[in-house]
Amino acid sequence: MSPTQAIKVAFVIVFASFLISCGGKDTVRVKSDLHIKGAPDWVNKGTQALKDKSGQRFYGVGFAPDLGDISLQKSTADNRARAEVARILSSYMEIVSNDFVSSSGTENEKINEQKVSREIKNLTEMNLAGVRIIGRWRNKKDLMMYSLAELDMKHVKQVVNTYRTMNEDFRGYMDRNADTTFDKVSEGQ
């Protein structure tokens, strides 16, 4: 597969994922398998939220075509992997926020919905500081570079608990429901 074909395939997958994720409130990611022979499992599985015996994590996979400069190619793939983590984290936080607003029911909390929404955006940006690149792979056939970024749910919870201006009711809701929501998101993939 040529680099141009690989980019087209990746674009179709990303675009289809975007369209499907817009279809349902609780949809975070689409199951996919790129079927790239010799690629690590994480390349073929793509962006996702995973829970295993070591914890709960958000994973983002980014890629970049051969750019003639390996450093630039790595940086581009890394940034795209971080953007994927941001996308899935943003979706997760939106689900938590929507569930919180739906469960609060009080008129005062409904009024504060916009404030909570702004806080969610700030939290998402703060959490992205905890994203780490934990893997890279370069396809020898088409020279496409893939990067794997990771964000641990423990970091997300820590940021929420230390965020000074966070709505106290939302902080409590997040503390009580973060794991359940994560499980729902990771199982629904």
Side-chain angles (χ1 to χ4, degrees):
M1 181 182 303
S2 74
T4 304
Q5 290 172 322
I7 290 171
K8 286 179 183 177
V9 168
F11 178 78
V12 168
I13 290 169
V14 171
F15 185 69
S17 298
F18 173 76
L19 288 178
I20 292 170
S21 70
C22 291
K25 151 182 159 177
D26 291 341
T27 304
V28 172
R29 119 175 231 303
V30 178
K31 286 185 181 180
S32 67
D33 190 341
L34 297 177
H35 300 290
I36 300 173
K37 290 189 181 218
D41 286 344
W42 58 264
V43 169
N44 287 317
K45 290 181 181 176
T47 298
Q48 56 190 313
L50 284 179
K51 177 181 178 181
D52 60 21
K53 62 184 175 194
S54 63
Q56 302 166 318
R57 291 180 180 77
F58 297 101
Y59 292 98
V61 177
F63 61 92
D66 183 17
L67 299 170
D69 178 344
I70 194 76
S71 179
L72 177 61
Q73 186 180 26
K74 284 180 183 178
S75 176
T76 301
D78 290 356
N79 287 337
R80 289 177 177 173
R82 287 183 187 97
E84 283 295 299
V85 171
R87 182 185 61 79
I88 196 169
L89 176 63
S90 180
S91 296
Y92 168 83
M93 295 301 283
E94 184 177 323
I95 292 168
V96 173
S97 175
N98 289 338
D99 290 351
F100 167 70
V101 170
S102 296
S103 72
S104 66
T106 66
E107 195 58 39
N108 191 30
E109 287 305 319
K110 301 279 186 203
I111 293 169
N112 287 326
E113 183 177 346
Q114 285 184 330
K115 184 175 186 249
V116 169
S117 180
R118 280 192 310 271
E119 289 176 349
I120 293 296
K121 287 180 184 178
N122 290 339
L123 279 171
T124 300
E125 289 175 18
M126 290 174 64
N127 273 305
L128 293 178
V131 174
R132 299 178 314 128
I133 300 299
I134 60 169
R136 286 191 193 95
W137 178 74
R138 192 168 194 216
N139 189 337
K140 296 200 186 314
K141 290 181 183 177
D142 62 11
L143 302 180
M144 187 74 69
M145 173 74 68
Y146 296 86
S147 293
L148 177 63
E150 174 190 71
L151 177 64
D152 194 316
M153 189 63 186
K154 289 177 190 173
H155 176 78
V156 174
K157 290 176 185 177
Q158 181 182 15
V159 168
V160 169
N161 286 328
T162 59
Y163 191 61
R164 297 184 193 273
T165 62
M166 174 58 65
N167 174 298
E168 285 300 319
D169 292 332
F170 180 76
R171 184 190 322 263
Y173 182 86
M174 178 82 178
D175 191 47
R176 291 185 306 276
N177 296 287
D179 292 337
T180 304
T181 304
F182 187 95
D183 291 347
K184 182 170 66 171
V185 168
S186 66
E187 290 168 4
Q189 297 181 70

